[in-house]
Amino acid sequence: MTGGTSGIGRAYAAELARRGHSVLITGRRRAQLDAVARSIAAESGVTVEPWIVELGDPRARTAFLDRVRQCRPLDIVVANAGFGYAEPFVNGPLRQAEAMIAVHVTSVVELFHAVIPTMIDRGCGSLVAVSSLASHLPVPGGETYVATKSFLNSFCESLAVGLSPYGLRVQTLLPGFTRTDFHRYDPDFAARRSAVRLLHWDTPETVVRASLVALDRNRTVCIPGWRNRLAARLLALLPRTLVRALMRRTAAR
Ligand SMILES: NC(=O)c1ccc[n+]([C@@H]2O[C@H](COP(=O)([O-])OP(=O)(O)OC[C@H]3O[C@@H](n4cnc5c(N)ncnc54)[C@H](OP(=O)(O)O)[C@@H]3O)[C@@H](O)[C@H]2O)c1
């Protein structure tokens, strides 16, 4: 489980531990990650191992992957770590876009590549990548975010088709607004809070429950919550020219 310090990853780790799985959780906030591991282990009675890793750092990823390859049996791998805020792509620092691509794309590709052979040998296993409902939208200012999440949608759909004959399940999870630490780095978020307050917010626990129910039913794409599913359906019906015009208006406000 990448990104177990808080939010969706923490809820995922807690639920999997409750179901009796030993869990390896990653993060960068050491004190918080250790506290989460201790608390989930105490509540569930299973082993919860914290692993500090900056997923934007290739050397740290290699050490993490070496540890993951030693984990047996590997029932489920959840690529959840991610962040939303970066300075603007246009006229902003390129390294922020590169860091986001490393965390949202490269680290997931490497992680899945490292575990798939073991899962194929065993004839079972599940891979989950946490994308975002926003991946269906053109988002000025969030270009790299939505593009990296779109990559996950496409990557996992192909993996799901290719790996199903081997007994593996692959899911892309597309949450809508979820109450987590995700928005804490965004300096403008407080200013926009009154607008987004009107939207529906899920809890990380609801998102994880929906994901696991969908996984049991072997659903390749999971959009948690009927409001989000309805929004996704409506969006798919709209001409993209209209979607772009709407997003242009939203961005101009
Ligand atoms: N919350 C939402 O509204 C929402 C909506 C759609 C999709 N999502 C997706 O859900 C996933 C989980 O986010 P969340 O909402 O649960 O937010 P969160 O509470 O901020 O959790 C993000 C997790 O990712 C880890 N992480 C972030 N950047 C990292 C990096 N460079 N290296 C290693 N670990 C890193 C964080 O670890 P540390 O904090 O310890 O560094 C933390 O454990 C993300 O992929 C996000 O894109 C969230």
Side-chain angles (χ1 to χ4, degrees):
M1 157 80 47
T2 64
T5 335
S6 55
I8 295 168
R10 179 190 174 142
Y12 229 118
E15 185 54 35
L16 291 174
R18 217 168 284 131
R19 293 176 181 213
H21 297 275
S22 299
V23 192
L24 174 73
I25 54 173
T26 76
R28 294 168 302 176
R29 288 172 284 173
R30 182 180 294 279
Q32 193 163 332
L33 190 71
D34 286 347
V36 167
R38 272 196 306 274
S39 130
I40 296 178
E43 190 191 296
S44 62
V46 304
T47 306
V48 182
E49 179 181 342
W51 189 275
I52 300 295
V53 58
E54 164 51 72
L55 289 167
D57 174 359
R59 273 205 290 188
R61 286 201 304 272
T62 302
F64 167 58
L65 292 177
D66 287 345
R67 176 67 192 97
V68 170
R69 284 192 191 92
Q70 294 163 4
C71 296
R72 294 283 193 284
L74 263 177
D75 296 317
I76 177 165
V77 169
V78 183
N80 158 78
F83 58 100
Y85 179 71
E87 285 176 57
F89 177 74
V90 178
N91 291 329
L94 182 61
R95 68 185 139 71
Q96 292 214 350
E98 290 170 337
M100 195 172 265
I101 292 167
V103 176
H104 291 178
V105 176
T106 313
S107 82
V108 183
V109 172
E110 289 178 354
L111 178 60
F112 285 4
H113 188 261
V115 299
I116 285 170
T118 320
M119 288 184 168
I120 288 179
D121 284 349
R122 224 178 131 221
C124 63
S126 299
L127 303 166
V128 177
V130 182
S131 173
S132 169
L133 198 54
S135 61
H136 290 318
L137 288 169
V139 181
E143 299 87 354
T144 313
Y145 181 78
V146 295
T148 52
K149 296 299 186 177
S150 297
F151 173 91
L152 295 180
N153 303 347
S154 173
F155 181 58
C156 289
E157 190 174 20
S158 295
L159 280 180
V161 174
L163 292 176
S164 72
Y166 299 99
L168 272 60
R169 295 181 176 196
V170 185
Q171 180 189 99
T172 326
L173 173 66
L174 288 84
F177 281 106
T178 310
R179 286 185 201 287
T180 67
D181 288 354
F182 183 74
H183 303 278
R184 72 188 183 282
Y185 298 116
D186 181 351
D188 298 330
F189 184 68
R192 287 187 281 113
R193 197 179 286 275
S194 55
V196 290
R197 204 174 41 199
L198 300 173
L199 300 172
H200 174 74
W201 286 75
D202 284 310
T203 65
E205 289 74 20
T206 340
V207 168
V208 166
R209 266 195 299 275
S211 168
L212 288 170
V213 167
L215 207 53
D216 287 342
R217 295 178 184 162
N218 203 6
R219 296 255 163 85
T220 303
V221 177
C222 172
I223 300 179
W226 66 267
R227 294 175 188 81
N228 292 330
R229 281 193 293 279
L230 181 64
R233 287 258 165 103
L234 293 175
L235 193 59
L237 293 175
L238 293 179
R240 288 305 280 186
T241 44
L242 180 57
V243 173
R244 286 195 289 274
L246 288 170
M247 292 307 289
R248 235 185 330 263
R249 281 179 64 119
T250 315
R253 278 194 192 144

